[in-house]
Amino acid sequence: MKNSISTNLADKQLLRNKAYINGCWVEANNKSTISVTNPANGECIGCVPNMGKHEAAMAVDAAFLAFDEWRSLTAKNRSIILMSWYYLIINNLNDIAKIITFEQGKPLKEARDEVRYGASFIEWFAEQGKRIYGEVIPTFDQNKRILTIKQPIGVVAAITPWNFPIAMATRKLAPALACGCTIVLKPSEETPFTALALAELAQRAGIPNGVLNVITGASIEIGEEITSNKKVRKVTFTGSTEVGKSIMSQCSTSIKKISLELGGNAPFIIFDDADIDLAVAGAIASKFRNAGQTCICTNRFIVQDAIYDKFTRRLTHEVSTLKVGDGFTEGTDIGPLINEAAICKIEHLVADAANKGARIVIGGKRHKKGGTFYEPTVICDILPEMEIIHKEIFGPVATIMSFSTETDALNIANDTCYGLAAYFYSRDIGRVWRVAEGLEYGMVGINEGLISTEIAPFGGMKQSGIGREGSKDGINEYVETKYLCMGGIYT
């Protein structure tokens, strides 16, 4: 496999090295660029414009001017265009997956799965956009009629992370466009080429100029512009809680509507009545997908005393079979971490745990391949004073701690400021209800380690965010409810 993206694509036009504003492919005003590297080998795979405040304002202006025409289309007409976009993505699935693996590092099979998952949001919201219903409300006065309608909020600004470069984008783009909003997308500097490929296909699908804009460059400068620009009515962000707080504060000056999908600290509880084989399979899926670089992957395995040793042995055995390598190598299970900062963070957390008494059962260091590859790791005997159970690991490291009672498990699981996703395994139907209701998390997997789907609401509680993505709830984030009171019915 050669290192050049373009030599590996069937459709080389999908590799775009310019931003997309008002239907045009443009450079930064000052001609500066950002290099994008392949995390598997550190090689530069291309450059994109290093844009800032000026270009962000241009993109917002383009979206603002395109809004009236786009919102005036019927929901069915917008749906037809979005479905065309969906089919173009599916027809170019392999090329987009290759772009993802080049710039993000995940195994090619996982990248293909992500393309399907990302495209599913476009398919779902293309249909859901035709079902944005208002209400007729029983009147309080015979001479009046009361009803509500839902209208697109306006220009939306979306900021997305690097770990799922297509899915995190389409989860925001699809509902916004389906209901009649226009949008400016700012992808991560680490993975911009996937978003630009989406823009290329959107143009082919017939999405009008200015309706979808993709800008690349300096996060802080672009972020400050879109959060302060009065033409932007809604900001949606996926990323760290710290950055989310900053965006929330900046948006407060103009009272923008916001959606925030932020950090997590997912517990994975295994009760002594659980199906151990099923729990181990779910643990591998939840913890080690995308090398542990997912916002809803397990951060803490909380195992009941009676099965603690058994579960640890079973999990360790499965982890020992995981193959680390370049995402393009056949059979690879674990790709590289995104950058050097990510692996340094994990090294610090593992060292802190070991110094405070945790036992490294397997792994625990950089992989012999070097670079940003890290060994799949299992650490047991985790204690509350260790940093690793309080911070989002974002890597292929499984931590295991024990508990005695159901109450203990819930107390441990809920002892965090985060509340995005949680998992637990049990065959006791009464316990299933009690624990599901007792967990302070927006999403709960019960005897299941993979829970993401376009048809269910995705989002968290506490400091894990505001709002929901996906499902019928997702489109409500992009509309305003307007109350209409009609008088003079009989006069």
Side-chain angles (χ1 to χ4, degrees):
M1 175 66 65
K2 296 180 180 179
N3 289 325
S4 168
I5 296 183
S6 60
T7 60
N8 285 281
L9 299 184
D11 185 348
K12 294 176 174 51
Q13 286 299 308
L14 290 179
L15 183 62
R16 287 289 187 171
N17 61 2
K18 294 180 180 179
Y20 184 67
I21 300 176
N22 200 25
C24 299
W25 297 98
V26 297
E27 299 177 335
N29 194 45
N30 61 5
K31 307 298 182 183
S32 66
T33 60
I34 296 173
S35 296
V36 181
T37 59
N38 181 343
N41 54 30
E43 293 182 359
C44 177
I45 58 175
C47 297
V48 295
N50 184 19
M51 294 177 158
K53 177 181 175 66
H54 173 75
E55 295 87 353
M58 284 176 53
V60 170
D61 286 344
F64 185 77
L65 291 173
F67 175 60
D68 281 343
E69 182 177 351
W70 180 247
R71 72 180 295 193
S72 69
L73 292 179
T74 64
K76 183 175 182 178
N77 285 340
R78 289 195 297 269
S79 176
I80 291 169
I81 295 172
L82 289 178
M83 285 305 298
S84 176
W85 192 25
Y86 164 77
Y87 286 118
L88 284 167
I89 292 170
I90 293 300
N91 290 339
N92 288 277
L93 184 149
N94 286 327
D95 277 351
I96 299 173
K98 289 175 182 178
I99 293 172
I100 292 172
T101 296
F102 265 112
E103 65 179 355
Q104 199 275 334
K106 68 181 59 177
L108 188 58
K109 180 183 182 301
E110 285 191 24
R112 291 191 184 106
D113 289 341
E114 187 193 339
V115 177
R116 295 185 188 96
Y117 176 53
S120 72
F121 287 99
I122 297 173
E123 181 186 35
W124 170 265
F125 284 111
E127 290 299 315
Q128 198 64 26
K130 295 185 289 186
R131 300 180 177 91
I132 304 174
Y133 302 133
E135 291 183 298
V136 176
I137 301 170
T139 187
F140 65 95
D141 184 329
Q142 286 299 320
N143 204 36
K144 297 176 182 177
R145 296 293 181 268
I146 300 170
L147 62 151
T148 64
I149 59 173
K150 294 182 179 180
Q151 297 178 301
I153 193 167
V155 175
V156 174
I159 304 172
T160 55
W162 51 263
N163 56 338
F164 288 89
I166 183 172
M168 297 299 98
T170 56
R171 232 163 47 182
K172 302 176 188 301
L173 296 173
L177 296 174
C179 72
C181 294
T182 54
I183 193 162
V184 176
L185 171 65
K186 162 64 176 70
S188 167
E189 299 98 304
E190 307 276 5
T191 56
F193 287 119
T194 304
L196 295 172
L198 280 178
E200 166 67 24
L201 294 179
Q203 188 177 51
R204 296 182 194 179
I207 293 179
N209 295 347
V211 171
L212 168 61
N213 306 273
V214 181
I215 54 175
T216 59
S219 295
I220 294 177
E221 191 173 338
I222 292 173
E224 289 177 349
E225 172 60 27
I226 62 179
T227 55
S228 63
N229 194 308
K230 294 180 180 179
K231 293 177 182 176
V232 175
R233 295 287 304 278
K234 163 73 185 263
V235 174
T236 173
F237 168 78
T238 297
S240 73
T241 295
E242 291 72 27
V243 175
K245 289 178 180 178
S246 176
I247 289 173
M248 188 174 185
S249 176
Q250 292 171 28
C251 288
S252 67
T253 59
S254 53
I255 317 295
K256 298 185 191 305
K257 190 173 184 177
I258 57 174
S259 296
L260 302 173
E261 196 261 282
L262 308 176
N265 188 8
F268 191 115
I269 306 169
I270 305 100
F271 290 97
D272 57 13
D273 65 325
D275 181 322
I276 298 295
D277 291 335
L278 189 66
V280 170
I284 293 293
S286 172
K287 174 71 257 187
F288 293 97
R289 183 169 56 105
N290 198 23
Q293 300 173 115
T294 82
C295 54
I296 61 171
C297 75
T298 298
N299 218 53
R300 303 166 288 156
F301 287 98
I302 305 168
V303 187
Q304 199 153 19
D305 295 335
I307 59 168
Y308 183 84
D309 291 337
K310 183 178 181 181
F311 175 81
T312 300
R313 286 195 304 271
R314 296 273 189 92
L315 180 64
T316 301
H317 171 73
E318 292 301 318
V319 170
S320 72
T321 68
L322 298 175
K323 182 179 178 181
V324 177
D326 187 296
F328 285 107
T329 302
E330 187 70 25
T332 292
D333 299 301
I334 306 291
L337 299 182
I338 189 64
N339 53 34
E340 182 66 19
I343 203 167
C344 287
K345 174 187 175 182
I346 290 174
E347 288 180 319
H348 168 76
L349 292 175
V350 171
D352 175 77
N355 290 337
K356 292 175 180 175
R359 180 164 57 91
I360 298 174
V361 183
I362 188 173
K365 60 184 183 298
R366 293 189 187 224
H367 197 273
K368 61 185 179 182
K369 289 182 176 293
T372 60
F373 289 98
Y374 196 84
E375 293 180 344
T377 298
V378 175
I379 307 176
C380 65
D381 302 336
I382 295 295
L383 300 173
E385 58 265 29
M386 298 172 184
E387 286 186 60
I388 203 164
I389 68 164
H390 300 291
K391 293 186 177 179
E392 197 169 21
I393 300 170
F394 240 61
V397 178
T399 65
I400 308 177
M401 60 194 308
S402 65
F403 73 92
S404 297
T405 69
E406 183 180 308
T407 299
D408 292 337
L410 281 171
N411 288 339
I412 294 169
N414 291 334
D415 186 21
T416 175
C417 65
Y418 300 107
L420 188 56
Y423 309 86
F424 72 92
Y425 280 66
S426 173
R427 289 300 189 187
D428 181 324
I429 188 62
R431 173 176 283 160
V432 165
W433 277 107
R434 292 191 303 270
V435 175
E437 292 175 352
L439 286 166
E440 297 170 354
Y441 291 83
M443 299 174 285
V444 180
I446 305 165
N447 297 320
E448 179 57 59
L450 294 176
I451 60 175
S452 296
T453 170
E454 77 279 8
I455 66 176
F458 190 105
M461 300 178 179
K462 299 190 285 190
Q463 293 189 33
S464 285
I466 298 171
R468 293 294 183 268
E469 294 184 315
S471 81
K472 64 181 180 61
D473 297 328
I475 209 160
N476 289 329
E477 301 289 333
Y478 299 91
V479 296
E480 297 275 26
T481 298
K482 182 180 288 184
Y483 155 49
L484 307 179
C485 181
M486 299 181 179
I489 301 299
Y490 289 106
T491 58

